[in-house]
Amino acid sequence: MSQAEVAEALQVSGPHQRAGGPYAQEDFADGVKVFYDEGKLACVAMDAVTGPQVFLAGFALAGRDPEEAYQYLLDHAAEHGNWLAYTPDESLALTDLGLLLRVQQIGDVLLSRPLFVMEEWLESEYYCARGHLPLEGAPITHGRNESL
């Protein structure tokens, strides 16, 4: 999708803010951030608190305890045969669905934050293994075996 098509799909005239950086970024109302690569939609990120809620098979993905949300994705992948990947910041992705679940810090609490990323980025060593997926600010890292 182009930037105009994204604004039309969100039923708005345009973003509230545009940011520079390696990817064109547009911030829309209600916690939605959109990233473009060469003018085409590449990633849609939902804020853990203010973004719209999204569901995977009836399970709410935004604003959850990260351990619970990651375990749900692992269970879903085992049941449905999804391809899993961990990114350098230890986020979990279902690459065949284009779903990346990150952690967002809100005060002293960590919450799950879903992103929808084009599959090529999640499977690419350049974008995934080297940590080049678009982020606003520094990623929150945590161990998969640590208590969150």
Side-chain angles (χ1 to χ4, degrees), residues 29-93:
D30 301 326
V32 175
K33 293 181 186 276
V34 179
F35 298 87
Y36 301 89
D37 187 12
E38 297 181 12
K40 296 296 181 185
L41 178 64
C43 177
V44 178
M46 314 308 170
D47 186 86
V49 176
T50 62
Q53 186 57 269
V54 294
F55 297 88
L56 176 62
F59 183 84
L61 295 172
R64 303 292 293 245
D65 173 86
E67 283 186 14
E68 178 185 24
Y70 281 20
Q71 187 59 55
Y72 180 82
L73 289 188
L74 291 169
D75 294 343
H76 187 276
E79 182 179 343
H80 299 281
N82 299 111
W83 290 94
L84 290 168
Y86 282 97
T87 62
D89 68 348
E90 298 185 6
S91 298
L92 181 60

